Amino acid sequence: MIEALKEELYLYNHLRHLFLKEPTKEILNEIGNIEVSPENNDDVVTGLRLIVDSVKKNEDYLDKWIEDLAVEYARLFIGPANPPAPPYASFYLSESHFLMTDETIEVRKKYLEAGLSVKELYSVPDDHIGIELEFIYYLTGKTIESFEKGEREEASRFFEIRSDFIREHFSRWVPEFINNILNFTTEDLYRGSAILLRGCL
């Protein structure tokens, strides 16, 4: 199980960077060096392959592509008005589609229960996909770290918080978010990120 969690930690590390803000040159260079298994075609491998291939295809004009990605990131997730894939749980889970609803407060409580708080409180809502991925990444890392220290009870506690968060909250809204990305972009980096995220679910 720990080996599987280490693989997930690696994937969540990339996903949190890809969804929190537009990608940097450093992140893209790192992604371009990932080796993807040619045999397997599940969503994790398919998504990774699409992301890696898109970086390799654009590596000769990376600066221009980064500008294009920033524009596409804004169009998909920010707006100016009615972006096709709002990256906030409250948009999908509240009947009003408003942001900063009770759902956002519930997510904040989950962070606090795990001993975390959002660094830039109120600048980015706590239920932003990038911050929720950061939370899952943190819990995965703490599970592995506690287990390897022989702290089995603590490892179980972190793993249980992680499982509950994914099952009771994350998986309730992320599939629709993923579908919106796949329906509204032709940019392979974001299509691959969505497919990879679907595989992690």
Short mmCIF file of all heavy atoms in Angstrom, two decimals, residues 94-145:
data_model
loop_
_atom_site.label_atom_id
_atom_site.label_comp_id
_atom_site.label_asym_id
_atom_site.label_seq_id
_atom_site.Cartn_x
_atom_site.Cartn_y
_atom_site.Cartn_z
N SER A 94 -23.16 23.82 -4.30
CA SER A 94 -24.24 24.68 -3.80
C SER A 94 -25.28 24.87 -4.90
O SER A 94 -24.93 24.98 -6.08
CB SER A 94 -23.69 26.04 -3.35
OG SER A 94 -23.21 26.77 -4.47
N GLU A 95 -26.53 24.91 -4.52
CA GLU A 95 -27.61 25.09 -5.51
C GLU A 95 -27.50 26.42 -6.23
O GLU A 95 -27.87 26.55 -7.39
CB GLU A 95 -28.97 24.97 -4.82
CG GLU A 95 -29.31 23.55 -4.38
CD GLU A 95 -30.67 23.44 -3.74
OE1 GLU A 95 -31.50 24.35 -3.95
OE2 GLU A 95 -30.90 22.45 -3.03
N SER A 96 -26.99 27.42 -5.53
CA SER A 96 -26.90 28.77 -6.10
C SER A 96 -25.72 28.94 -7.05
O SER A 96 -25.66 29.91 -7.79
CB SER A 96 -26.77 29.79 -4.97
OG SER A 96 -25.56 29.55 -4.26
N HIS A 97 -24.75 27.99 -7.01
CA HIS A 97 -23.49 28.11 -7.75
C HIS A 97 -22.66 29.31 -7.29
O HIS A 97 -21.82 29.81 -8.04
CB HIS A 97 -23.72 28.19 -9.27
CG HIS A 97 -24.31 26.94 -9.84
ND1 HIS A 97 -23.73 25.71 -9.74
CD2 HIS A 97 -25.48 26.74 -10.51
CE1 HIS A 97 -24.48 24.79 -10.32
NE2 HIS A 97 -25.56 25.40 -10.78
N PHE A 98 -22.89 29.77 -6.07
CA PHE A 98 -22.09 30.85 -5.51
C PHE A 98 -20.79 30.28 -4.96
O PHE A 98 -20.69 29.09 -4.65
CB PHE A 98 -22.83 31.57 -4.37
CG PHE A 98 -23.98 32.42 -4.85
CD1 PHE A 98 -25.03 32.70 -3.98
CD2 PHE A 98 -24.03 32.93 -6.13
CE1 PHE A 98 -26.10 33.48 -4.40
CE2 PHE A 98 -25.09 33.71 -6.56
CZ PHE A 98 -26.13 33.98 -5.68
N LEU A 99 -19.80 31.18 -4.81
CA LEU A 99 -18.53 30.79 -4.18
C LEU A 99 -18.57 31.21 -2.71
O LEU A 99 -19.40 32.01 -2.30
CB LEU A 99 -17.36 31.47 -4.89
CG LEU A 99 -17.25 31.24 -6.40
CD1 LEU A 99 -15.97 31.88 -6.93
CD2 LEU A 99 -17.29 29.77 -6.76
N MET A 100 -17.65 30.65 -1.93
CA MET A 100 -17.55 30.96 -0.50
C MET A 100 -18.86 30.67 0.23
O MET A 100 -19.42 31.52 0.92
CB MET A 100 -17.13 32.42 -0.29
CG MET A 100 -15.73 32.73 -0.75
SD MET A 100 -14.41 31.81 0.10
CE MET A 100 -14.46 32.56 1.72
N THR A 101 -19.37 29.46 0.05
CA THR A 101 -20.60 29.04 0.72
C THR A 101 -20.25 28.19 1.94
O THR A 101 -19.09 28.09 2.32
CB THR A 101 -21.48 28.21 -0.25
OG1 THR A 101 -20.74 27.03 -0.60
CG2 THR A 101 -21.83 28.99 -1.50
N ASP A 102 -21.26 27.54 2.51
CA ASP A 102 -21.03 26.65 3.65
C ASP A 102 -20.03 25.54 3.29
O ASP A 102 -19.29 25.06 4.15
CB ASP A 102 -22.34 26.01 4.11
CG ASP A 102 -23.26 27.02 4.78
OD1 ASP A 102 -22.77 28.11 5.13
OD2 ASP A 102 -24.46 26.74 4.95
N GLU A 103 -20.04 25.12 2.02
CA GLU A 103 -19.10 24.08 1.57
C GLU A 103 -17.65 24.54 1.79
O GLU A 103 -16.80 23.76 2.20
CB GLU A 103 -19.32 23.75 0.09
CG GLU A 103 -20.63 23.06 -0.23
CD GLU A 103 -20.67 21.64 0.31
OE1 GLU A 103 -19.61 21.08 0.64
OE2 GLU A 103 -21.79 21.08 0.40
N THR A 104 -17.39 25.80 1.51
CA THR A 104 -16.04 26.35 1.68
C THR A 104 -15.63 26.30 3.15
O THR A 104 -14.50 25.93 3.48
CB THR A 104 -15.98 27.81 1.18
OG1 THR A 104 -16.65 27.89 -0.08
CG2 THR A 104 -14.55 28.29 1.03
N ILE A 105 -16.57 26.66 4.02
CA ILE A 105 -16.29 26.64 5.47
C ILE A 105 -16.05 25.22 5.95
O ILE A 105 -15.15 24.97 6.77
CB ILE A 105 -17.47 27.27 6.25
CG1 ILE A 105 -17.77 28.69 5.73
CG2 ILE A 105 -17.17 27.29 7.74
CD1 ILE A 105 -16.60 29.63 5.72
N GLU A 106 -16.82 24.25 5.41
CA GLU A 106 -16.64 22.84 5.79
C GLU A 106 -15.25 22.34 5.39
O GLU A 106 -14.60 21.60 6.13
CB GLU A 106 -17.72 21.97 5.14
CG GLU A 106 -19.10 22.11 5.77
CD GLU A 106 -19.09 21.82 7.27
OE1 GLU A 106 -18.53 20.77 7.67
OE2 GLU A 106 -19.63 22.64 8.04
N VAL A 107 -14.79 22.75 4.21
CA VAL A 107 -13.46 22.36 3.75
C VAL A 107 -12.40 22.96 4.68
O VAL A 107 -11.44 22.29 5.07
CB VAL A 107 -13.22 22.81 2.28
CG1 VAL A 107 -11.76 22.68 1.90
CG2 VAL A 107 -14.08 21.99 1.35
N ARG A 108 -12.59 24.22 5.05
CA ARG A 108 -11.64 24.87 5.97
C ARG A 108 -11.56 24.10 7.28
O ARG A 108 -10.48 23.93 7.85
CB ARG A 108 -12.07 26.31 6.23
CG ARG A 108 -11.07 27.09 7.08
CD ARG A 108 -11.48 28.54 7.24
NE ARG A 108 -11.55 29.19 5.95
CZ ARG A 108 -12.28 30.29 5.71
NH1 ARG A 108 -12.98 30.84 6.68
NH2 ARG A 108 -12.29 30.82 4.51
N LYS A 109 -12.71 23.63 7.77
CA LYS A 109 -12.73 22.84 9.02
C LYS A 109 -11.91 21.56 8.87
O LYS A 109 -11.20 21.14 9.79
CB LYS A 109 -14.17 22.49 9.40
CG LYS A 109 -14.96 23.65 9.98
CD LYS A 109 -16.37 23.19 10.33
CE LYS A 109 -17.25 24.34 10.75
NZ LYS A 109 -18.66 23.94 10.89
N LYS A 110 -12.01 20.93 7.69
CA LYS A 110 -11.23 19.70 7.44
C LYS A 110 -9.73 20.00 7.50
O LYS A 110 -8.95 19.22 8.06
CB LYS A 110 -11.56 19.12 6.06
CG LYS A 110 -12.99 18.65 5.90
CD LYS A 110 -13.21 17.35 6.60
CE LYS A 110 -14.61 16.82 6.34
NZ LYS A 110 -14.98 15.76 7.28
N TYR A 111 -9.32 21.13 6.94
CA TYR A 111 -7.91 21.51 6.99
C TYR A 111 -7.46 21.70 8.44
O TYR A 111 -6.40 21.23 8.84
CB TYR A 111 -7.66 22.81 6.21
CG TYR A 111 -7.97 22.76 4.73
CD1 TYR A 111 -8.13 23.94 4.01
CD2 TYR A 111 -8.11 21.56 4.04
CE1 TYR A 111 -8.41 23.92 2.64
CE2 TYR A 111 -8.40 21.53 2.68
CZ TYR A 111 -8.54 22.72 1.99
OH TYR A 111 -8.82 22.71 0.65
N LEU A 112 -8.29 22.41 9.20
CA LEU A 112 -7.95 22.70 10.59
C LEU A 112 -7.87 21.42 11.43
O LEU A 112 -6.99 21.28 12.28
CB LEU A 112 -8.97 23.68 11.20
CG LEU A 112 -8.92 25.11 10.63
CD1 LEU A 112 -10.10 25.92 11.13
CD2 LEU A 112 -7.61 25.79 10.98
N GLU A 113 -8.78 20.49 11.16
CA GLU A 113 -8.77 19.20 11.88
C GLU A 113 -7.47 18.43 11.64
O GLU A 113 -7.00 17.69 12.50
CB GLU A 113 -9.97 18.34 11.46
CG GLU A 113 -11.29 18.77 12.06
CD GLU A 113 -12.48 18.09 11.40
OE1 GLU A 113 -12.29 17.05 10.72
OE2 GLU A 113 -13.60 18.61 11.54
N ALA A 114 -6.91 18.62 10.45
CA ALA A 114 -5.65 17.94 10.11
C ALA A 114 -4.43 18.76 10.54
O ALA A 114 -3.29 18.37 10.31
CB ALA A 114 -5.59 17.67 8.61
N GLY A 115 -4.69 19.93 11.16
CA GLY A 115 -3.60 20.77 11.64
C GLY A 115 -3.07 21.75 10.62
O GLY A 115 -1.95 22.24 10.75
N LEU A 116 -3.88 22.07 9.62
CA LEU A 116 -3.44 22.98 8.55
C LEU A 116 -4.36 24.19 8.47
O LEU A 116 -5.52 24.13 8.86
CB LEU A 116 -3.50 22.28 7.19
CG LEU A 116 -2.45 21.23 6.90
CD1 LEU A 116 -2.76 20.58 5.56
CD2 LEU A 116 -1.07 21.84 6.84
N SER A 117 -3.84 25.27 7.90
CA SER A 117 -4.68 26.40 7.54
C SER A 117 -4.18 26.94 6.21
O SER A 117 -3.02 26.75 5.85
CB SER A 117 -4.63 27.50 8.60
OG SER A 117 -3.33 27.99 8.74
N VAL A 118 -5.07 27.59 5.47
CA VAL A 118 -4.68 28.13 4.16
C VAL A 118 -3.78 29.34 4.39
O VAL A 118 -4.11 30.25 5.17
CB VAL A 118 -5.93 28.52 3.34
CG1 VAL A 118 -5.53 29.17 2.03
CG2 VAL A 118 -6.77 27.28 3.06
N LYS A 119 -2.65 29.35 3.71
CA LYS A 119 -1.62 30.38 3.92
C LYS A 119 -2.16 31.78 3.62
O LYS A 119 -2.01 32.69 4.41
CB LYS A 119 -0.41 30.06 3.04
CG LYS A 119 0.83 30.84 3.37
CD LYS A 119 2.00 30.34 2.54
CE LYS A 119 3.25 31.12 2.80
NZ LYS A 119 4.35 30.66 1.94
N GLU A 120 -2.76 31.94 2.45
CA GLU A 120 -3.26 33.25 2.06
C GLU A 120 -4.78 33.25 2.18
O GLU A 120 -5.51 33.35 1.20
CB GLU A 120 -2.83 33.58 0.63
CG GLU A 120 -1.32 33.69 0.51
CD GLU A 120 -0.88 33.91 -0.92
OE1 GLU A 120 -1.68 34.37 -1.74
OE2 GLU A 120 0.29 33.60 -1.22
N LEU A 121 -5.24 33.15 3.43
CA LEU A 121 -6.67 33.07 3.71
C LEU A 121 -7.40 34.25 3.09
O LEU A 121 -6.96 35.40 3.18
CB LEU A 121 -6.89 33.06 5.23
CG LEU A 121 -8.27 32.67 5.72
CD1 LEU A 121 -8.65 31.27 5.29
CD2 LEU A 121 -8.33 32.79 7.24
N TYR A 122 -8.51 33.96 2.45
CA TYR A 122 -9.40 34.94 1.80
C TYR A 122 -8.88 35.46 0.46
O TYR A 122 -9.59 36.17 -0.23
CB TYR A 122 -9.74 36.11 2.73
CG TYR A 122 -10.36 35.67 4.03
CD1 TYR A 122 -9.74 35.96 5.24
CD2 TYR A 122 -11.53 34.92 4.04
CE1 TYR A 122 -10.29 35.53 6.44
CE2 TYR A 122 -12.09 34.48 5.24
CZ TYR A 122 -11.47 34.79 6.43
OH TYR A 122 -12.01 34.37 7.61
N SER A 123 -7.64 35.16 0.07
CA SER A 123 -7.20 35.58 -1.26
C SER A 123 -7.58 34.52 -2.29
O SER A 123 -7.93 34.84 -3.41
CB SER A 123 -5.70 35.87 -1.30
OG SER A 123 -4.97 34.69 -1.10
N VAL A 124 -7.50 33.24 -1.90
CA VAL A 124 -7.99 32.13 -2.73
C VAL A 124 -8.93 31.31 -1.85
O VAL A 124 -8.52 30.88 -0.78
CB VAL A 124 -6.84 31.24 -3.25
CG1 VAL A 124 -7.39 30.08 -4.07
CG2 VAL A 124 -5.84 32.05 -4.05
N PRO A 125 -10.18 31.09 -2.27
CA PRO A 125 -11.08 30.29 -1.43
C PRO A 125 -10.50 28.90 -1.13
O PRO A 125 -9.83 28.30 -1.96
CB PRO A 125 -12.35 30.18 -2.29
CG PRO A 125 -12.31 31.40 -3.16
CD PRO A 125 -10.85 31.62 -3.45
N ASP A 126 -10.78 28.44 0.09
CA ASP A 126 -10.21 27.18 0.56
C ASP A 126 -10.60 25.99 -0.30
O ASP A 126 -9.93 24.96 -0.28
CB ASP A 126 -10.70 26.89 1.99
CG ASP A 126 -10.45 28.03 2.93
OD1 ASP A 126 -10.89 29.16 2.67
OD2 ASP A 126 -9.80 27.79 3.96
N ASP A 127 -11.72 26.10 -1.02
CA ASP A 127 -12.20 24.96 -1.81
C ASP A 127 -11.75 25.02 -3.27
O ASP A 127 -12.34 24.38 -4.14
CB ASP A 127 -13.72 24.83 -1.72
CG ASP A 127 -14.46 26.05 -2.28
OD1 ASP A 127 -13.83 27.10 -2.48
OD2 ASP A 127 -15.68 25.95 -2.49
N HIS A 128 -10.70 25.80 -3.55
CA HIS A 128 -10.10 25.82 -4.90
C HIS A 128 -9.46 24.44 -5.15
O HIS A 128 -8.84 23.86 -4.26
CB HIS A 128 -9.04 26.92 -4.97
CG HIS A 128 -8.46 27.13 -6.33
ND1 HIS A 128 -7.56 26.24 -6.91
CD2 HIS A 128 -8.65 28.12 -7.24
CE1 HIS A 128 -7.22 26.69 -8.10
NE2 HIS A 128 -7.86 27.82 -8.33
N ILE A 129 -9.60 23.93 -6.37
CA ILE A 129 -9.08 22.60 -6.72
C ILE A 129 -7.60 22.46 -6.37
O ILE A 129 -7.16 21.43 -5.86
CB ILE A 129 -9.33 22.28 -8.22
CG1 ILE A 129 -8.84 20.87 -8.58
CG2 ILE A 129 -8.68 23.31 -9.14
CD1 ILE A 129 -9.66 19.77 -8.05
N GLY A 130 -6.81 23.51 -6.61
CA GLY A 130 -5.38 23.44 -6.33
C GLY A 130 -5.08 23.29 -4.86
O GLY A 130 -4.17 22.55 -4.47
N ILE A 131 -5.86 23.96 -4.01
CA ILE A 131 -5.65 23.87 -2.56
C ILE A 131 -6.14 22.52 -2.04
O ILE A 131 -5.50 21.91 -1.17
CB ILE A 131 -6.33 25.06 -1.85
CG1 ILE A 131 -5.63 26.35 -2.26
CG2 ILE A 131 -6.29 24.88 -0.34
CD1 ILE A 131 -6.26 27.61 -1.73
N GLU A 132 -7.24 22.03 -2.58
CA GLU A 132 -7.71 20.70 -2.17
C GLU A 132 -6.72 19.61 -2.59
O GLU A 132 -6.48 18.66 -1.85
CB GLU A 132 -9.10 20.43 -2.75
CG GLU A 132 -10.16 21.34 -2.13
CD GLU A 132 -11.59 20.88 -2.36
OE1 GLU A 132 -11.79 19.80 -2.96
OE2 GLU A 132 -12.50 21.60 -1.92
N LEU A 133 -6.12 19.76 -3.76
CA LEU A 133 -5.08 18.82 -4.18
C LEU A 133 -3.85 18.92 -3.28
O LEU A 133 -3.22 17.91 -2.96
CB LEU A 133 -4.69 19.08 -5.64
CG LEU A 133 -5.71 18.62 -6.69
CD1 LEU A 133 -5.41 19.25 -8.04
CD2 LEU A 133 -5.72 17.10 -6.81
N GLU A 134 -3.53 20.13 -2.87
CA GLU A 134 -2.43 20.35 -1.93
C GLU A 134 -2.70 19.61 -0.61
O GLU A 134 -1.81 18.99 -0.02
CB GLU A 134 -2.27 21.85 -1.66
CG GLU A 134 -1.14 22.22 -0.73
CD GLU A 134 0.18 22.41 -1.46
OE1 GLU A 134 0.20 22.93 -2.58
OE2 GLU A 134 1.20 22.01 -0.87
N PHE A 135 -3.95 19.65 -0.16
CA PHE A 135 -4.36 18.99 1.07
C PHE A 135 -4.22 17.47 0.94
O PHE A 135 -3.67 16.80 1.84
CB PHE A 135 -5.81 19.36 1.39
CG PHE A 135 -6.34 18.82 2.69
CD1 PHE A 135 -5.64 18.99 3.87
CD2 PHE A 135 -7.55 18.15 2.73
CE1 PHE A 135 -6.15 18.50 5.08
CE2 PHE A 135 -8.06 17.66 3.92
CZ PHE A 135 -7.36 17.83 5.11
N ILE A 136 -4.67 16.92 -0.18
CA ILE A 136 -4.54 15.47 -0.40
C ILE A 136 -3.07 15.08 -0.49
O ILE A 136 -2.64 14.05 0.06
CB ILE A 136 -5.32 15.04 -1.67
CG1 ILE A 136 -6.82 15.28 -1.47
CG2 ILE A 136 -5.07 13.56 -1.99
CD1 ILE A 136 -7.65 15.14 -2.73
N TYR A 137 -2.28 15.91 -1.15
CA TYR A 137 -0.83 15.68 -1.24
C TYR A 137 -0.21 15.65 0.16
O TYR A 137 0.58 14.76 0.49
CB TYR A 137 -0.20 16.78 -2.10
CG TYR A 137 1.31 16.78 -2.12
CD1 TYR A 137 2.01 15.89 -2.93
CD2 TYR A 137 2.03 17.68 -1.34
CE1 TYR A 137 3.40 15.89 -2.95
CE2 TYR A 137 3.42 17.69 -1.35
CZ TYR A 137 4.09 16.79 -2.17
OH TYR A 137 5.47 16.79 -2.19
N TYR A 138 -0.58 16.61 0.98
CA TYR A 138 -0.07 16.70 2.36
C TYR A 138 -0.45 15.45 3.15
O TYR A 138 0.41 14.85 3.82
CB TYR A 138 -0.64 17.95 3.03
CG TYR A 138 -0.43 18.00 4.52
CD1 TYR A 138 0.79 18.39 5.07
CD2 TYR A 138 -1.46 17.64 5.40
CE1 TYR A 138 0.99 18.43 6.44
CE2 TYR A 138 -1.27 17.68 6.78
CZ TYR A 138 -0.04 18.08 7.29
OH TYR A 138 0.14 18.10 8.66
N LEU A 139 -1.72 15.06 3.09
CA LEU A 139 -2.18 13.89 3.86
C LEU A 139 -1.50 12.60 3.38
O LEU A 139 -1.17 11.73 4.19
CB LEU A 139 -3.70 13.76 3.74
CG LEU A 139 -4.52 14.86 4.41
CD1 LEU A 139 -5.99 14.73 4.04
CD2 LEU A 139 -4.36 14.84 5.93
N THR A 140 -1.29 12.51 2.08
CA THR A 140 -0.60 11.33 1.53
C THR A 140 0.83 11.28 2.04
O THR A 140 1.31 10.23 2.49
CB THR A 140 -0.62 11.38 -0.02
OG1 THR A 140 -1.97 11.52 -0.48
CG2 THR A 140 -0.03 10.11 -0.62
N GLY A 141 1.51 12.42 2.02
CA GLY A 141 2.88 12.50 2.51
C GLY A 141 2.98 12.18 3.99
O GLY A 141 3.90 11.46 4.43
N LYS A 142 2.03 12.69 4.78
CA LYS A 142 2.05 12.43 6.23
C LYS A 142 1.75 10.97 6.54
O LYS A 142 2.31 10.40 7.48
CB LYS A 142 1.03 13.33 6.94
CG LYS A 142 1.37 14.81 6.93
CD LYS A 142 2.69 15.13 7.58
CE LYS A 142 2.64 15.15 9.08
NZ LYS A 142 3.90 15.58 9.70
N THR A 143 0.89 10.34 5.73
CA THR A 143 0.61 8.91 5.91
C THR A 143 1.89 8.10 5.70
O THR A 143 2.24 7.24 6.51
CB THR A 143 -0.47 8.45 4.92
OG1 THR A 143 -1.67 9.21 5.12
CG2 THR A 143 -0.80 6.97 5.09
N ILE A 144 2.59 8.39 4.60
CA ILE A 144 3.83 7.67 4.27
C ILE A 144 4.89 7.92 5.35
O ILE A 144 5.52 6.98 5.86
CB ILE A 144 4.37 8.11 2.89
CG1 ILE A 144 3.38 7.71 1.79
CG2 ILE A 144 5.75 7.54 2.62
CD1 ILE A 144 3.63 8.40 0.45
N GLU A 145 5.07 9.18 5.71
CA GLU A 145 6.10 9.55 6.71
C GLU A 145 5.83 8.86 8.05
O GLU A 145 6.76 8.30 8.66
CB GLU A 145 6.06 11.07 6.88
CG GLU A 145 7.07 11.62 7.85
CD GLU A 145 6.85 13.11 8.09
OE1 GLU A 145 6.49 13.85 7.15
OE2 GLU A 145 7.03 13.54 9.25
#
